[in-house]
Amino acid sequence: METGVRDPNSESVDELRQRLNNMKRMMAERQSAGMSLDEGQNRRRAGSIIDGSFLSVVFGVALLVIISVSIYAFYNLYHAILKKFPSHHTEL
């Protein structure tokens, strides 16, 4: 009762072995060319100016701005509350 339609995810063992051999051959060619996996990935990423350290600096600066604005706002709020509700000294 098979309709002849194969599941695209089910590959035969021979097809999987052939794909594995092709990948091994490509890795051997890359290693014989003197390029490791890390160098290949770095070469691909080298064209971009936005890397991990740049993003770290940007987020660090944003965090400092948020903290400084928060401190400024609470400082002003504290002084506004003191002005609205002054403490009365009765000991004099």
Side-chain angles (χ1 to χ4, degrees):
M1 260 217 213
E2 191 170 322
T3 61
V5 177
R6 268 182 53 185
D7 182 17
N9 293 328
S10 67
E11 297 182 67
S12 70
V13 174
D14 292 332
E15 291 170 343
L16 289 172
R17 283 184 183 155
Q18 183 179 5
R19 286 181 57 199
L20 179 62
N21 288 333
N22 285 339
M23 293 298 277
K24 285 180 182 179
R25 181 182 49 79
M26 288 171 53
M27 293 299 296
E29 288 174 0
R30 180 176 280 179
Q31 286 178 351
S32 67
M35 185 185 340
S36 69
L37 286 175
D38 294 333
E39 290 172 356
Q41 290 174 351
N42 288 340
R43 184 176 295 169
R44 243 191 333 237
R45 289 189 215 143
S48 176
I49 191 169
I50 301 175
D51 59 350
S53 60
F54 179 75
L55 284 176
S56 297
V57 170
V58 168
F59 286 128
V61 168
L63 179 65
L64 286 175
V65 167
I66 290 170
I67 289 173
S68 62
V69 167
S70 299
I71 291 171
Y72 178 73
F74 280 111
Y75 176 78
N76 283 333
L77 178 65
Y78 176 74
H79 283 288
I81 290 172
L82 285 180
K83 186 186 277 188
K84 178 79 173 172
F85 304 106
S87 61
H88 299 286
H89 296 286
T90 58
E91 64 268 0
L92 293 179

